Amino acid sequence: MFVIGERINGMFTDVKKAIQAEDPAPIQELAKRQIAAGANALDINVGPATTDKVGAMKWLVEVAREAVDVPLCIDTPNAQVMRVGLEAAGGNAIINSTTGEEERMAEVLPLAAEFNCPVIGLTIDAEGVPRDANGRMEIALRLAAACMEQGIAMTDLYIDPVILPVNAMQAVPEEVLKSLGMCKALSDPPPQTILGLSNVSQGTLYRELINRTYLVMAVANSLDAAIMDPFDDDLMEAMITTEVLLNRNVYCDDFIKAYRR
Amino acid sequence: MFVIGERINGMFTDVKKAIQAEDPAPIQELAKRQIAAGANALDINVGPATTDKVGAMKWLVEVAREAVDVPLCIDTPNAQVMRVGLEAAGGNAIINSTTGEEERMAEVLPLAAEFNCPVIGLTIDAEGVPRDANGRMEIALRLAAACMEQGIAMTDLYIDPVILPVNAMQAVPEEVLKSLGMCKALSDPPPQTILGLSNVSQGTLYRELINRTYLVMAVANSLDAAIMDPFDDDLMEAMITTEVLLNRNVYCDDFIKAYRR
């Protein structure tokens, strides 16, 4: 599993304050600590911290890049902010994200080709998020076709079938599980799969329990990557154990410690 | 999920001592507490407590039956002990178990027909446990055919594809997951599926973590029932959450408490 740490996001108070004060220390500490906790990449999202999205993204990416050399996942719906983030990352970035809408794909996919970096494609179109797995796959196919046209390799496309809060839409988690498996039949080689995990538990009482339970199911259903909280030890342990039980990591008696070392 | 409490088993010291002293109190307390913790049925296994398997099974079943009116899962490889247990249970029992060997099926399946109770069929034959899911399915088919011959409904056959400790056979957990799904394509209606869950973590350092992680994956792969420890709160919560995420139990903010009430 490819873990993208979710914590550098202006919706968190500590990050918001650091952006507003232009104080690099909390950001760089969050960057290093997430990697130490097992993240393979870091999501970078300005969030609601400021109206100067371009300036804030440039600053945030530069600050994170000084601290770590892992892929930075530039998280913005705005193509101009995206370009600034990709430039500041100096290569080694992931585009987060495009939807399946023609306009958005036309803006974002050329950036993936220009900067030669993977791109996350959300299964959303002008009508929003489809109700079921089949609807998600229709959009996934459009995303895959548009990437092929741009010369973007399927292994550089991360399909995100968009998990919604279980308390609002209780049929969605199973449809998303189905979608993950169906993505693997889209092409050969298939696209990768990704989820913004924490969304499944938005507004619920047992957030961590729901997150880790859903992650186990998703990993067992072909999930390749997740944007998630690497500081949640129970979540990380559930993920590691799932990979051992699926024979993707070698078992040793102390496999939890071995993974985290 | 149909939870069969695993705790009334002579391999546990408290149960062993109670059997040897013919003291009903600890057994009856274990019976009631397992039901209160969420078990739907109770496994009853004399284990290594005594050489008088027949007498001990009769006593153990009678004592448990006095305390609770749920199905008692008579757990013995010996057909004579099985008959005594089924008689003592006074109906409302589950046979645990037959293998796919002709001799064993010929002894055990007529008891299922005679006592009109479900039977657990292990995917084991004279050569032991098959290496992969296909091998398990060959034996499952033999079990299903033999049940049909005896007039046992497919919904009364619980196929157990035999999970082995992950530290010894790391490819097995995934083969068993595949088997669970394949069981559902065996017939229409299909047989039910069951696992002796704790076996997956036998001899490992993180038993509870492995048990609950595997249970989540198994439930998401068509597992209907498990022999497991209802006193393991994290395990029960993982199971309940899985069912909510699969839309099998209705979400409410306090779904954990609602389920256990």
Side-chain angles (χ1 to χ4, degrees):
Chain A
M1 271 285 294
F2 189 76
V3 175
I4 303 175
E6 71 179 13
R7 278 292 277 107
I8 300 183
N9 187 318
M11 80 181 178
F12 295 106
T13 310
D14 53 350
V15 175
K16 185 177 180 175
K17 282 186 186 162
I19 293 171
Q20 289 168 345
E22 294 199 16
D23 177 6
I27 304 298
Q28 296 185 329
E29 202 210 325
L30 272 175
K32 288 178 187 163
R33 278 180 53 222
Q34 286 186 94
I35 301 305
N40 306 105
L42 300 180
D43 197 64
I44 307 285
N45 188 323
V46 170
T50 167
T51 53
D52 175 18
K53 304 291 185 195
V54 168
M57 180 62 89
K58 183 170 187 292
W59 178 83
L60 202 53
V61 171
E62 284 173 353
V63 161
R65 177 51 80 222
E66 272 178 35
V68 295
D69 59 4
V70 300
L72 300 179
C73 185
I74 313 300
D75 188 354
T76 171
N78 180 310
Q80 192 198 348
V81 177
M82 180 64 72
R83 172 177 287 280
V84 169
L86 293 171
E87 284 168 353
N92 207 10
I94 300 168
I95 291 177
N96 183 12
S97 53
T98 182
T99 64
E101 294 164 284
E102 293 299 335
E103 279 179 18
R104 296 272 286 126
M105 291 194 293
E107 278 184 341
V108 176
L109 295 183
L111 290 173
E114 178 183 343
F115 288 86
N116 191 26
C117 63
V119 57
I120 297 173
L122 304 168
T123 61
I124 297 178
D125 65 10
E127 289 165 44
V129 179
R131 186 172 300 197
D132 62 10
N134 287 334
R136 285 170 164 78
M137 282 309 101
E138 280 178 35
I139 301 175
L141 261 173
R142 263 181 265 157
L143 285 159
C147 281
M148 285 175 192
E149 274 175 32
Q150 296 280 339
I152 298 165
M154 277 304 94
T155 47
D156 276 343
L157 170 61
Y158 282 83
I159 298 286
D160 181 337
V162 189
I163 185 69
L164 299 173
V166 64
N167 61 355
M169 303 278 276
Q170 213 189 329
V172 166
E174 192 169 17
E175 292 302 316
V176 168
L177 290 181
K178 281 188 215 163
S179 305
L180 294 171
M182 288 164 81
C183 279
K184 294 302 176 184
L186 264 190
S187 58
D188 184 15
Q192 312 235 33
T193 56
I194 191 166
L195 287 177
L197 181 66
S198 309
N199 212 31
V200 71
S201 65
Q202 200 73 253
T204 67
L205 207 57
Y206 306 101
R207 289 208 67 170
E208 296 190 341
L209 176 60
I210 290 172
N211 289 343
R212 67 177 171 262
T213 305
Y214 196 64
L215 183 63
V216 172
M217 290 193 274
V219 172
N221 277 274
S222 311
L223 185 69
D224 296 307
I227 301 174
M228 57 188 254
D229 181 4
F231 298 150
D232 181 341
D233 284 338
D234 290 335
L235 179 66
M236 292 297 284
E237 291 184 2
M239 183 194 77
I240 296 162
T241 305
T242 304
E243 295 198 298
V244 165
L245 283 165
L246 294 172
N247 208 6
R248 293 183 199 161
N249 280 327
V250 176
Y251 177 89
C252 66
D253 281 339
D254 231 342
F255 64 88
I256 295 287
K257 282 188 198 156
Y259 180 95
R260 302 201 122 189
R261 200 169 287 143
Chain B
M1 270 285 295
F2 189 75
V3 174
I4 303 175
E6 70 178 13
R7 277 292 275 106
I8 302 184
N9 187 316
M11 81 181 178
F12 294 107
T13 309
D14 53 352
V15 174
K16 185 177 180 177
K17 282 186 186 161
I19 292 171
Q20 288 169 346
E22 293 200 16
D23 178 5
I27 304 299
Q28 295 185 330
E29 202 210 325
L30 273 174
K32 288 177 187 165
R33 278 180 53 222
Q34 285 186 93
I35 302 304
N40 306 106
L42 300 180
D43 197 65
I44 307 286
N45 188 322
V46 169
T50 166
T51 53
D52 175 20
K53 304 290 184 196
V54 168
M57 181 62 88
K58 183 168 185 292
W59 178 83
L60 202 53
V61 171
E62 283 172 355
V63 161
R65 176 51 80 221
E66 273 176 34
V68 295
D69 59 5
V70 301
L72 299 179
C73 186
I74 313 300
D75 188 353
T76 171
N78 179 311
Q80 193 197 347
V81 177
M82 180 64 71
R83 173 176 287 279
V84 168
L86 293 171
E87 283 167 354
N92 208 10
I94 300 167
I95 291 177
N96 184 11
S97 55
T98 182
T99 65
E101 294 163 284
E102 292 299 336
E103 279 178 18
R104 296 271 287 126
M105 292 194 292
E107 278 184 341
V108 175
L109 295 184
L111 290 172
E114 179 183 342
F115 288 86
N116 190 27
C117 63
V119 56
I120 297 172
L122 305 168
T123 62
I124 297 178
D125 65 10
E127 289 166 44
V129 179
R131 187 172 300 197
D132 61 10
N134 287 334
R136 285 169 164 79
M137 281 309 100
E138 280 179 33
I139 301 175
L141 261 174
R142 265 181 264 157
L143 285 159
C147 282
M148 285 174 193
E149 274 176 32
Q150 296 280 338
I152 298 164
M154 277 305 93
T155 48
D156 277 343
L157 170 61
Y158 282 84
I159 298 286
D160 181 337
V162 190
I163 185 69
L164 299 173
V166 63
N167 61 355
M169 304 277 276
Q170 212 189 330
V172 166
E174 192 169 18
E175 292 301 316
V176 168
L177 290 180
K178 281 187 214 163
S179 304
L180 293 171
M182 289 164 82
C183 278
K184 293 302 176 185
L186 263 191
S187 58
D188 183 15
Q192 311 234 36
T193 55
I194 191 166
L195 287 177
L197 180 66
S198 309
N199 212 30
V200 70
S201 65
Q202 201 73 253
T204 67
L205 206 58
Y206 305 101
R207 289 208 66 172
E208 297 191 340
L209 176 61
I210 290 173
N211 289 343
R212 68 177 171 263
T213 305
Y214 196 63
L215 184 64
V216 172
M217 290 193 274
V219 172
N221 277 274
S222 312
L223 184 69
D224 296 306
I227 302 174
M228 57 187 256
D229 181 4
F231 298 150
D232 181 342
D233 284 340
D234 290 335
L235 179 66
M236 291 298 284
E237 291 183 2
M239 183 194 78
I240 296 162
T241 306
T242 305
E243 294 198 298
V244 166
L245 284 164
L246 294 172
N247 207 6
R248 293 184 199 160
N249 281 329
V250 175
Y251 177 88
C252 67
D253 281 340
D254 232 342
F255 64 87
I256 295 287
K257 281 188 197 156
Y259 180 95
R260 303 202 122 190
R261 198 168 288 141

